[in-house]
Amino acid sequence: MSSVVEQLGEAHLTARRAKYGHPRDARALVRTWPITATAAHRLMTAMPASDALHDTVVERIALDARSISVSADPLVWPGAGRSDPVLADLATRFDKAAGSRKLTTMTPEDATQARLLVLQTLWLMSRMVGESARDVNYDLRFSPQTSWESHHAWGEVSSATAKRFNAVEQLAAGGLHLPIGAPNTPAGALRQAVATWDVEAHRALLGDRSTGVLHVVAHQQAQSVHAFKQFVDGAAKLGVIDFVTHQRLAPVLTDSAEAWTALQGVAAEFWQARTPVPQSLFVAAVDLRTQFEQFAHVPDPGDARGILGTISDHLASSVTVAATARDLLRDEAISGPARAIARVVSEHFPLQTETVVPAEAIRKGRIVTLPSQARHLLEDPADRCLSSADEAFSRTAGLDALRRTSPADSRPATPTTRTQGPPPRSAAGEHPPSVRR
């Protein structure tokens, strides 16, 4: 029987072949992705010699995928339907590896190699799913059988899905560049704080799908964006971030903070939590802000590459948290106090004469499902949160090159007449992880 590393190497080869030759059905890919990501997380959990940051990367991807699985079926896109055979096969391979008896005899070196193979496979597949979702808009333009309503609905959701997978791709690619023992460095500790907040925010939004949790997460995210902006300002003063990137990033971070604050304000009006918000969410948020504040005022940022990697990691996390918050508003069970709903809707829609909630529910102080008007008031700032997070993520594309280039690497190469071969550790037809599109 082949070893776990060999099994995962075959899974990675399957992913590479699919990436460059698999017929793509975007909706089937999105439907099946949660199964694959969850199976990858089960495998990482089962492996010995745990590496906290690498394992957390896969957990973050799996939590975001779980949010997709909750909201996929009710949507007009992707909706219910068939699964993608390649992603389903990869999930089966991950589960088979997780159940292998050879996991207990793996050496630390083999465990590290196995983790990298899982991340490489997730990176390839998330890129394929994201590209397929992105291309839906282009395909719809040339489809005479698609109505304008369907075109608008499918295009909007598929575009948001493409943004989300671009961020997921960054998470997987960032995990591939993590050194072993990274949390022992200052930059590693900051990245661990980013990962912990990401996990806690997703768990909270998935664990209690209510306006109360949405309010708390939005409030903490708004405060984190403020702290992150100060961190970026400090990094720019120290020369870690170039002037142009900082000038482009500052206004969109301000807009992002305002969007989260607006979402927090509306959610507070409809406050309704089924269970207490976990204390670990507040601890993670405070720790993240503390880390940002500390790095914003230190005279020497330490490892510049690590700092740049944390910036990309946090902005990718912001995209997935915003997308998960947006998913929450598609939950038909989300509810709020009848009296508050009637008051807020009447204030924002003064010309509307119809009653959005029954008078008896208002009189008895009942909790009712949010009507479409109330949902609209939440969806607008939530959409703005997602778009501003994606815009901030896109505007830092130049940091990827800075993070992967040392001062020595940037010097002009010595002229030579020799024919240069392919770079080491690269396979034919495969490019190193690059995530910005």
Side-chain angles (χ1 to χ4, degrees):
M1 181 183 292
S2 58
S3 67
V4 174
V5 173
E6 290 172 341
Q7 293 177 35
L8 295 178
E10 292 174 0
H12 180 236
L13 180 60
T14 299
R16 287 176 53 194
R17 288 172 175 168
K19 173 66 173 63
Y20 299 109
H22 177 55
R24 301 182 184 181
D25 181 340
R27 297 205 287 182
L29 288 168
V30 174
R31 291 188 202 106
T32 319
W33 169 256
I35 301 173
T36 305
T38 303
H41 181 229
R42 284 195 296 267
L43 172 58
M44 295 289 271
T45 304
M47 272 194 281
S50 175
D51 186 286
L53 274 182
H54 286 90
D55 291 353
T56 305
V57 169
V58 179
E59 182 180 7
R60 293 159 69 185
I61 293 173
L63 285 169
D64 180 71
R66 181 182 161 195
S67 180
I68 294 175
S69 68
V70 171
S71 61
D73 286 354
L75 292 177
V76 65
W77 194 97
R82 72 180 189 90
S83 300
D84 180 79
V86 172
L87 287 180
D89 177 60
L90 289 175
T92 302
R93 291 174 182 268
F94 287 151
D95 283 332
K96 181 180 179 181
S100 173
R101 295 180 180 179
K102 296 187 177 182
L103 279 177
T104 57
T105 60
M106 289 181 70
T107 64
E109 293 76 14
D110 285 344
T112 298
Q113 182 65 22
R115 285 182 169 84
L116 292 178
L117 284 169
V118 172
L119 282 169
Q120 288 172 347
T121 303
L122 291 177
W123 172 72
L124 279 170
M125 292 297 93
S126 62
R127 187 176 184 87
M128 183 173 76
V129 179
E131 289 174 348
S132 301
R134 176 202 62 192
D135 292 342
V136 168
N137 279 327
Y138 298 97
D139 296 340
L140 289 174
R141 294 179 185 177
F142 302 99
S143 176
Q145 299 177 350
T146 305
S147 64
W148 183 91
E149 292 80 5
S150 297
H151 185 289
H152 177 73
W154 291 12
E156 181 181 4
V157 179
S158 62
S159 294
T161 303
K163 294 175 183 177
R164 175 184 224 142
F165 274 93
N166 193 25
V168 170
E169 185 185 337
Q170 165 66 27
L171 293 176
L176 290 171
H177 292 277
L178 281 174
I180 303 300
N184 297 326
T185 65
L190 175 59
R191 191 156 191 164
Q192 182 66 65
V194 170
T196 302
W197 162 250
D198 191 351
V199 168
E200 292 296 336
H202 277 89
R203 285 178 178 172
L205 291 169
L206 290 167
D208 183 7
R209 300 177 67 76
S210 66
T211 52
V213 170
L214 180 64
H215 163 75
V216 173
V217 171
H219 173 69
Q220 298 298 335
Q221 185 74 4
Q223 296 299 314
S224 296
V225 174
H226 281 298
F228 179 68
K229 186 177 183 301
Q230 295 177 357
F231 164 77
V232 170
D233 293 341
K237 291 178 182 178
L238 293 169
V240 176
I241 301 177
D242 64 281
F243 173 77
V244 175
T245 299
H246 175 250
Q247 290 297 102
R248 298 185 70 233
L249 191 57
V252 75
L253 288 179
T254 300
D255 183 69
S256 179
E258 292 174 351
W260 282 108
T261 301
L263 180 59
Q264 164 209 338
V266 181
E269 297 284 0
F270 302 141
W271 177 284
Q272 171 60 25
R274 303 182 185 91
T275 59
V277 180
Q279 185 66 26
S280 56
L281 177 71
F282 298 98
V283 174
V286 171
D287 181 51
L288 177 60
R289 292 198 295 271
T290 301
Q291 290 280 348
F292 281 145
E293 290 166 0
Q294 289 177 351
F295 271 80
H297 300 98
V298 293
D300 182 5
D303 185 2
R305 290 192 183 192
I307 298 297
L308 293 172
T310 302
I311 291 174
S312 295
D313 194 46
H314 175 66
L315 290 175
S317 171
S318 297
V319 174
T320 59
V321 171
T324 301
R326 187 64 182 82
D327 290 342
L328 171 62
L329 299 178
R330 299 189 179 105
D331 192 334
E332 296 180 356
I334 191 169
S335 56
R339 185 181 299 277
I341 293 172
R343 176 178 55 79
V344 175
V345 171
S346 64
E347 290 174 354
H348 285 82
F349 302 97
L351 299 180
Q352 180 171 318
T353 58
E354 298 179 358
T355 304
V356 294
V357 292
E360 182 182 2
I362 297 175
R363 185 173 62 254
K364 293 185 177 182
R366 291 178 179 172
I367 303 299
V368 298
T369 303
L370 293 183
S372 58
Q373 297 89 336
R375 286 175 180 272
H376 179 72
L377 295 175
L378 286 166
E379 288 169 353
D380 280 351
D383 288 340
R384 185 181 166 195
C385 288
L386 179 57
S387 61
S388 60
D390 177 69
E391 181 63 22
F393 178 59
S394 299
R395 292 189 182 194
T396 57
L399 297 183
D400 286 344
L402 295 175
R403 177 160 62 99
R404 294 176 173 83
T405 305
S406 68
D409 296 334
S410 62
R411 297 172 184 169
T414 304
T416 178
T417 57
R418 294 182 180 180
T419 303
Q420 294 184 352
R425 298 181 63 187
S426 64
E430 183 177 6
H431 302 284
S434 176
V435 301
R436 308 307 177 90
R437 294 191 289 273

